[in-house]
Amino acid sequence: MKDVKAKMRENLKEITVSALKKAIDEGAVNLAGIPDFTIEVPQAEAHGDFAANVAMLAAREAKMPPRKIAEIIKDRMEIAGTGIEKVEVAGPGFINFHLSPTWAHGVIPIILSEKENYGRQDIGKGKKVQVEFVSANPTGPMHMGNARGAALGDALASVLEMAGYDVTREFYINDAGNQIENFGLSLEARYLELLGYESQIPEGGYHGEDIKDHMRELIEKEGDRFLSVDPAERRAYFIEYALKKNIERMKKDLADFGVHFDVWFSERSLHESGKVEEVIRILTERGYTYEKDGALWFKATEFGVPKDEVLVRQNGMPTYFAADIAYHKDKFDRGFDWVIDIWGADHHGHVPRMKGALAALGYDPEKLTIIIMQLVRLYRNGQIARMSKRTGRAVTLADLVDEVGKDAARFFFNLRGADTHLDFDLDLAVKQSEENPVYYVQYAHARIASILRQAAEQKVAVPEVEDVPPAEMERLLSKLTCEAEIDLIKKLADFPDVIRVAASTLSPYRIANYTLELASAFHSFYNVCRVLTSDKDLTTARLLLVKAVQQVLQNCFRILGISAPERM
RNA sequence: GCGCCCGUAGCUCAGCAGGAUAGAGCAACGGACUUCUAAUCCGUAGGUCAGAGGUUCGAUUCCUCUCGGGCGCGCCA
């Protein structure tokens, strides 16, 4: 893994450690060991390119003021031939490293040869991880919350892939249970109603227009023949019919949103294969259940949950929770080393009991990470638009793609962390689409594409990295010395770090933020430095630079699921 | 009542998993296109990081409490 920044950090750490060791050996500083310090990038440019905080951490044990320790370390540093131009002690005791301005230039050939793999990490070490997200109710169209989950989950999965995990994207279809019963009753009511019979949608049923559409379509195809069919039987048929349509629709809407799942997992299959029953039996055998009021309960309180939970209802039907336990057991039985669920904030209360159930089954609850995503509050015409499926007037994911566009919507959702409460003003999103930040980053890509087109027209070649000897490459890139160029190159060198942090904190929004920063550095560069000039070497160097920028932008866009336009 | 999330510029949010003088975008104001796309750039202004304690050499970041907002606490999913 080639990472100029990480390598530099390592070098600086080694230099600092050996200087400190020397100081200890000489008795200049009294320490038993080397503190676990970091080499970080200071905020202010005046503080150099990197800084070590070791002196502050050592101060207490050494019983010396940090600045003095820093001076002692600094005096013993061997910096000849390291690219370090100056070492300074500053502030409370930082050791600041000022490097030669070209220290990061080597990142350009690395990007151009690694291409879409630039930034890839190996922290996952090929571990099998499953990301389960969206898992929307198949009883109707997907809403804004599902859209957020889709954008977040897909980007997270991509980030983990970049970090070296073997990722499976999975959608859990809740095609069983009470809601499906209600779905059937609602379909049936609409069916009867459409044929002129009096009928009522039940309590907790679905009032959406889509329910009516399903039945209208069915009547066109099959007429009124279900009037004489046994109600339970015809409801089963309606459910089968409408579920299939809904799931196909969800697949299509998600595909239009740029999200593709590896596995669509049916809840019903867990019931049919006996896995729900099996998991209940195991819990019982392990002594974690008891009967009360005609129901079977899970002793959740033994795992720090406020109250016990029902597994099997009085009527003999297993609860959603029971199926969910079976589902999670199945996930681990399929060999995943790590399971990540993305749930809406309205489900956060179920986290402890799910983990408790896993512990009861003998699995390590630490291997399940549940990301709680705060809900989306949707504004339209200046007021809150309800998202409930039952009102039938929700803004759907498909509407969002139509009105705002896939790229803008996905970028917008991934601009914020999962735990921010998100107000989405649809009118504003549409109205401001011209000023949407997504255009800012895409424009950077399009501008570069335009430069490369111009270069091709002028028969200016951009050399392939493989064809340029390292010494020649170094000579060419040494032409890149103005501030905008240096800043841009450093930004490129940040990318592996960004992947690392985004993956280890499960925060794909960091990619979106970084993309904005990179685009900003590019736009600034563009306004100051002309790429196609009469200076041949400078032109070549800048072409290599912008090509590298374009590559990194593409790598970001791929993670975020947005397109990389050649023209805008 | 109990639990989880949030509170940073007028608005929407960052703040690199404790670091130095808290940053962007939008909105406001002033500049920059005979030159690779002005969907851009440069500058000005804007702050009691909700409040109070604590841990630390150092807190926007970690802990406790208070206030304010959101969401949960079903034999629904």
Side-chain angles (χ1 to χ4, degrees):
Chain A
M1 215 62 48
K2 291 176 178 174
D3 181 342
V4 293
K5 196 175 166 187
K7 205 166 172 186
M8 180 56 75
R9 231 177 350 227
E10 251 170 62
N11 287 347
L12 295 175
K13 190 152 189 177
E14 269 171 38
I15 289 165
T16 308
V17 167
S18 54
L20 178 55
K21 273 186 183 153
K22 202 170 166 199
I24 294 171
D25 289 347
E26 290 172 9
V29 178
N30 190 16
L31 281 178
I34 307 291
D36 186 20
F37 68 100
T38 55
I39 301 288
E40 54 203 55
V41 179
Q43 269 184 28
E45 235 165 274
H47 296 141
D49 298 293
F50 291 92
N53 61 352
V54 62
M56 280 104 78
L57 296 173
R60 172 178 286 226
E61 191 193 335
K63 295 199 179 79
M64 276 170 99
R67 287 194 65 115
K68 189 165 181 199
I69 300 173
E71 289 291 351
I72 290 170
I73 296 171
K74 179 194 148 185
D75 290 343
R76 285 160 182 75
M77 279 185 179
E78 289 169 25
I79 61 172
T82 56
I84 301 172
E85 288 196 335
K86 192 169 61 171
V87 181
E88 272 179 342
V89 174
F94 286 104
I95 302 171
N96 292 340
F97 300 95
H98 297 258
L99 305 181
S100 142
T102 58
W103 72 267
H105 281 38
V107 75
I108 293 173
I110 291 174
I111 294 166
L112 295 176
S113 65
E114 295 198 340
K115 297 197 167 65
E116 67 276 5
N117 287 318
Y118 174 64
R120 199 170 278 282
Q121 303 290 308
D122 194 29
I123 52 181
K125 299 193 164 38
K127 262 170 59 176
K128 279 189 69 177
V129 53
Q130 182 209 58
V131 183
E132 183 221 317
F133 59 109
V134 186
S135 297
N137 249 311
T139 51
M142 290 174 291
H143 52 64
M144 290 291 287
N146 297 324
R148 185 183 192 179
L152 173 72
D154 191 48
L156 175 65
S158 296
V159 164
L160 292 173
E161 278 167 352
M162 277 298 269
Y165 289 91
D166 175 5
V167 181
T168 298
R169 290 167 170 81
E170 186 154 321
F171 187 118
Y172 184 52
I173 308 168
N174 301 129
D175 53 1
N178 249 331
Q179 56 168 6
I180 293 298
E181 293 305 310
N182 283 330
F183 184 52
L185 289 165
S186 306
L187 289 163
E188 180 179 51
R190 288 303 192 200
Y191 181 82
L192 295 172
E193 187 189 293
L194 283 165
L195 292 171
Y197 293 85
E198 190 77 6
S199 191
Q200 277 264 310
I201 291 190
E203 182 95 9
Y206 299 89
H207 295 86
E209 201 54 35
D210 55 303
I211 301 288
K212 226 186 258 185
D213 292 341
H214 282 310
M215 290 298 97
R216 204 173 281 134
E217 204 186 286
L218 186 72
I219 290 167
E220 274 172 32
K221 275 196 231 163
E222 308 204 30
D224 62 358
R225 73 177 182 91
F226 292 101
L227 288 174
S228 55
V229 172
D230 167 66
E233 202 177 301
R234 79 178 168 210
R235 281 200 297 275
Y237 186 89
F238 291 168
I239 289 168
E240 204 63 30
Y241 173 83
L243 267 187
K244 189 163 172 267
K245 293 259 173 201
N246 279 352
I247 291 165
E248 277 168 12
R249 185 63 201 270
M250 288 198 298
K251 285 186 185 176
K252 183 193 176 294
D253 288 347
L254 284 163
D256 289 345
F257 201 50
V259 177
H260 302 271
F261 288 89
D262 302 302
V263 178
W264 289 75
F265 194 99
S266 155
E267 177 184 355
R268 204 198 295 172
S269 73
L270 290 168
H271 294 276
E272 287 169 354
S273 65
K275 286 185 177 168
V276 177
E277 226 174 297
E278 183 196 7
V279 87
I280 292 167
R281 197 188 65 236
I282 295 171
L283 285 171
T284 302
E285 282 167 5
R286 286 176 163 250
Y288 291 114
T289 67
Y290 62 90
E291 282 186 48
K292 194 183 85 181
D293 305 330
L296 188 72
W297 297 71
F298 169 59
K299 295 179 182 172
T301 44
E302 292 196 8
F303 301 93
V305 180
K307 56 188 250 333
D308 290 339
E309 302 283 346
V310 173
L311 292 173
V312 182
R313 302 186 188 105
Q314 224 172 18
N315 64 9
M317 298 291 290
T319 58
Y320 171 84
F321 179 46
D324 217 15
I325 298 171
Y327 179 42
H328 282 80
K329 177 181 185 297
D330 185 76
K331 291 182 181 200
F332 287 106
D333 291 347
R334 275 186 275 156
F336 290 109
D337 302 302
W338 187 20
V339 167
I340 299 173
D341 292 354
I342 298 178
W343 290 358
D346 52 340
H347 288 68
H348 75 253
H350 307 147
V351 174
R353 73 184 201 190
M354 190 65 240
K355 294 207 170 215
L358 283 178
L361 288 170
Y363 295 89
D364 181 2
E366 292 289 305
K367 290 188 169 178
L368 171 67
T369 300
I370 296 170
I371 295 175
I372 294 302
M373 184 187 70
Q374 296 303 310
L375 301 176
V376 180
R377 201 164 42 175
L378 189 64
Y379 285 82
R380 170 164 243 169
N381 304 322
Q383 48 183 304
I384 297 176
R386 301 271 316 174
M387 296 199 310
S388 166
K389 250 171 229 182
R390 295 178 187 162
T391 65
R393 232 176 263 158
V395 173
T396 66
L397 187 150
D399 295 338
L400 179 71
V401 173
D402 279 351
E403 291 187 34
V404 182
K406 176 196 81 151
D407 290 349
R410 289 197 59 162
F411 195 77
F412 185 83
F413 283 128
N414 275 126
L415 226 33
R416 293 147 169 76
D419 50 15
T420 59
H421 300 271
L422 186 55
D423 288 348
F424 198 111
D425 186 328
L426 246 168
D427 303 312
L428 207 67
V430 175
K431 195 165 62 191
Q432 286 194 338
S433 63
E434 295 270 313
E435 290 165 21
N436 194 298
V438 75
Y439 293 95
Y440 184 84
V441 298
Q442 289 181 321
Y443 185 48
H445 185 273
R447 269 183 152 176
I448 293 169
S450 175
I451 294 170
L452 296 174
R453 276 194 303 271
Q454 293 275 334
E457 270 171 37
Q458 295 173 23
K459 308 272 186 254
V460 179
V462 190
E464 292 297 319
V465 184
E466 300 75 45
D467 301 337
V468 184
E472 172 64 2
M473 180 63 80
E474 199 174 323
R475 187 187 69 80
L476 281 169
L477 296 180
S478 69
K479 304 276 178 189
L480 305 175
T481 54
C482 78
E483 202 185 339
E485 290 167 329
I486 304 289
D487 288 349
L488 184 53
I489 292 167
K490 283 189 195 164
K491 207 42 99 176
L492 292 174
D494 280 342
F495 189 57
D497 261 0
V498 173
I499 295 291
R500 197 158 30 234
V501 175
S504 46
T505 59
L506 306 178
S507 315
Y509 74 88
R510 288 181 191 278
I511 305 295
N513 270 306
Y514 169 78
T515 311
L516 282 172
E517 287 173 17
L518 179 59
S520 168
F522 169 75
H523 286 310
S524 296
F525 157 84
Y526 183 91
N527 273 271
V528 177
C529 303
R530 207 187 145 75
V531 175
L532 302 172
T533 66
S534 51
D535 180 334
K536 196 164 169 273
D537 284 350
L538 182 63
T539 299
T540 304
R542 286 184 175 164
L543 281 169
L544 290 167
L545 170 60
V546 298
K547 222 181 153 187
V549 173
Q550 192 184 41
Q551 181 66 59
V552 176
L553 284 173
Q554 282 172 14
N555 293 5
C556 292
F557 292 174
R558 198 186 59 237
I559 293 169
L560 296 169
I562 64 176
S563 59
E566 294 286 311
R567 292 169 208 275
M568 283 175 78

